[in-house]
Amino acid sequence: HPLRCLSLQEVGPTMVGDEHSDPSLMSFLGATKRNMLGNHFWEYYVNDAPRIVLNKLESCGYRVVSMTGVGQTLVWCLHKE
């Protein structure tokens, strides 16, 4: 079952995936794929606040497993049963 880790800030933008993420889930979240200058990878992000993203993912069956803070960034790990 998928385990999804999100890097979330208190307000948007919210990073919701990488280049290997499920395109249909990224579309459902309204995510945009981008490559930040200096990074050698792509990421998906939305302008929504974390609570909005978490509510959308909950409606798809994802549940929060853990959360931690890294500097001013919050990282949420979710699991889908």
Side-chain angles (χ1 to χ4, degrees):
H1 301 294
L3 179 66
R4 182 155 244 51
C5 293
L6 307 176
S7 296
L8 305 175
Q9 298 178 346
E10 190 173 322
V11 296
T14 302
M15 303 312 140
V16 293
D18 61 21
E19 66 261 30
H20 305 293
S21 296
D22 177 8
S24 61
L25 180 59
M26 296 299 105
S27 177
F28 171 75
L29 294 174
T32 302
K33 192 175 183 180
R34 70 178 177 187
N35 175 266
M36 298 294 287
L37 184 63
N39 288 346
H40 301 289
F41 57 88
W42 291 81
E43 62 190 8
Y44 282 95
Y45 77 98
V46 296
N47 287 321
D48 296 330
R51 67 179 174 78
I52 295 171
V53 175
L54 290 169
N55 286 343
K56 286 181 178 180
L57 288 169
E58 183 180 27
S59 75
C60 293
Y62 287 90
R63 300 289 177 257
V64 174
V65 175
S66 66
M67 176 271 213
T68 190
V70 180
Q72 294 184 4
T73 300
L74 301 174
V75 178
W76 302 77
C77 291
L78 289 84
H79 182 264
K80 184 173 182 179
E81 305 259 343

